[in-house]
Amino acid sequence: MAHLWRGVIEEYRDRLPVTDATPVITLGEGGTPLVRSGWLSGIVRGDVWLKVEGDNPTGSFKDRGMTVAISIAAGEGAKAVVCASTGNTSASMAAYAASAGLTPIVLVPHGKISAGKMAQAVMHGAEVIQVNGNFDDCLTMSRGLAEHYPVALVNSVNPMRLQGQKTAAFEIVDALAATPDLHVLPVGNAGNISAYWLGFKEYAEAGVATKTPTLWGFQAEGAAPIVNGAPVLHPETIASAIRIGNPASWHLAVAARDESGGRIAAVSDAQILQAQRDLASRDGVFVEPASAAGVAGLLAAAARGEVEPDQLISVTVTGHGLKDTETALSGIDSIIDSVIEVDVDAAAAAAGLA
Ligand code: AN7
């Protein structure tokens, strides 16, 4: 039976703050694959599923929130939209703004955005403003712009973003026809963990889900304000998407952690890069570094014997590996294995077949 996935607003309209008058700005986001990870399942002696959010239209989970935020902004007559970003929010906002005919204005930390994400914002027609500061400075500025100038703010402090992003939790429960015991994901500005908690709670309260999962969030060691219990003035990590020192949804994330009986912990850049390589080479799922933080955290917990066996576990991998090929390849000694002449036997020898 033919079925066209209609994007998260139409698929979950009755659970989203839209009306019949809201123009639906969609690129077909959501409906992303849930891929079983055999090696992770083996390591934790449970059943581990990856929610592959890099398969969204602009390559990250941000599209779920952006379809709702941009639709609402367009419906309210906005002409321009603004966000601060480590790269994915700006790529997503620029695409949805282009589709809606709005002017996208992007504030990013100078020199700290991957080339792929920058290309997306530029190609979608954004006014890209590089700021000599970090993400947190950009967010302060973007709030200031929205307060004093005719431009709508679509960072995740806009509650419409979390409303859209909660649909990922719905999809996991719908696809598994069960509620995970544990859900794991990266944490940066802390909107997504807050949104998942909204979604899981809503499904449980509506009786669609039988329970809520425990939530485990992972920050990068050099950008772990929630773990440290204090803002990080100069956050540093190779996972540029989560290089954030003062998350906007800090309190919501802590509430999600505590209400779910979960944890927010830190992983090192080395653990992140190893998890990224393992996901790519063992599961065939290529994610960007930040996206591997959840898997890195799950592995670290398993190594300490902290993962109970026989659990149903979902792990969100948040963005596509093609977003940042430079970082992915930075840890690889040589990306060219061999250069040969046009000769089958030489190819066989180079490939180790002969
Ligand atoms: C791939 O784009 O904050 O904890 O400005 O791009 O909801 O912030 C990106 C965040 C995880 C963290 N994985 O999610 C931005 C931005 C990827 C990301 C996160 C981000 P939140």
Side-chain angles (χ1 to χ4, degrees):
M1 187 180 71
H3 173 70
L4 176 67
W5 180 266
R6 298 163 296 169
V8 299
I9 291 181
E10 295 304 352
E11 296 293 336
Y12 293 105
R13 176 176 277 276
D14 56 339
R15 299 197 177 279
L16 291 171
V18 293
T19 69
D20 290 345
T22 308
V24 176
I25 312 298
T26 181
L27 297 171
E29 63 294 318
T32 54
L34 201 56
V35 176
R36 188 167 185 281
S37 175
W39 67 283
L40 279 173
S41 296
I43 286 174
V44 306
R45 289 175 295 141
D47 197 12
V48 181
W49 295 82
L50 304 171
K51 183 65 170 161
V52 185
E53 290 289 273
D55 283 28
N56 274 296
T58 77
S60 85
F61 71 97
K62 303 288 182 183
D63 296 341
R64 294 179 183 277
M66 212 51 80
T67 182
V68 179
I70 296 292
S71 295
I72 297 289
E76 288 173 351
K79 295 284 176 276
V81 285
V82 65
C83 72
S85 185
T86 57
N88 279 326
T89 299
S90 47
S92 182
M93 183 192 79
Y96 283 80
S99 171
L102 308 179
T103 302
I105 301 165
V106 163
L107 298 172
V108 294
H110 185 205
K112 298 293 185 183
I113 307 299
S114 76
K117 296 172 189 176
M118 192 62 82
Q120 289 181 287
V122 170
M123 289 304 291
H124 292 306
E127 186 64 53
V128 180
I129 303 167
Q130 303 238 12
V131 178
N132 289 322
N134 59 33
F135 169 83
D136 307 287
D137 300 317
C138 293
L139 183 55
T140 303
M141 288 176 63
S142 112
R143 287 182 198 252
L145 277 178
E147 196 176 323
H148 299 294
Y149 298 89
V151 55
L153 180 65
V154 298
N155 276 109
S156 56
V157 293
N158 176 333
M160 295 306 128
R161 286 275 311 283
L162 301 196
Q163 286 296 313
Q165 285 175 207
K166 76 183 179 185
T167 59
F170 297 163
E171 287 180 21
I172 289 170
V173 175
D174 290 344
L176 292 173
T179 309
D181 301 300
L182 173 64
H183 183 77
V184 185
L185 77 174
V187 172
N189 208 25
N192 212 28
I193 191 171
S194 308
Y196 271 84
W197 188 234
L198 279 179
F200 283 128
K201 269 196 308 188
E202 185 172 330
Y203 252 25
E205 278 156 18
V208 183
T210 50
K211 60 173 185 180
T212 52
T214 299
L215 295 187
W216 284 6
F218 292 95
Q219 303 196 287
E221 225 167 52
I226 299 177
V227 182
N228 303 344
V232 176
L233 226 50
H234 302 291
E236 272 311 337
T237 168
I238 196 163
S240 59
I242 52 173
R243 186 175 170 273
I244 294 173
N246 191 11
S249 297
W250 187 317
H251 295 291
L252 288 175
V254 166
R257 177 194 70 189
D258 295 345
E259 288 170 26
S260 76
R263 63 168 67 165
I264 296 177
V267 287
S268 68
D269 281 3
Q271 288 173 311
I272 287 173
L273 290 175
Q274 186 60 49
Q276 181 193 27
R277 282 195 285 270
D278 285 340
L279 282 169
S281 63
R282 296 177 184 229
D283 285 321
V285 175
F286 185 22
V287 306
E288 65 171 289
S291 304
V295 172
L298 182 65
L299 286 170
R304 289 193 300 266
E306 294 169 2
V307 183
E308 273 177 47
D310 302 319
Q311 294 190 96
L312 179 59
I313 301 174
S314 48
V315 185
T316 298
V317 286
T318 45
H320 205 289
L322 292 174
K323 292 269 191 178
D324 184 4
T325 54
E326 199 182 318
T327 305
L329 295 176
S330 64
I332 313 282
D333 295 337
S334 168
I335 63 166
I336 301 173
D337 288 329
S338 36
V339 178
I340 59 166
E341 299 310 318
V342 183
D343 181 89
V344 172
D345 294 333
L353 295 171

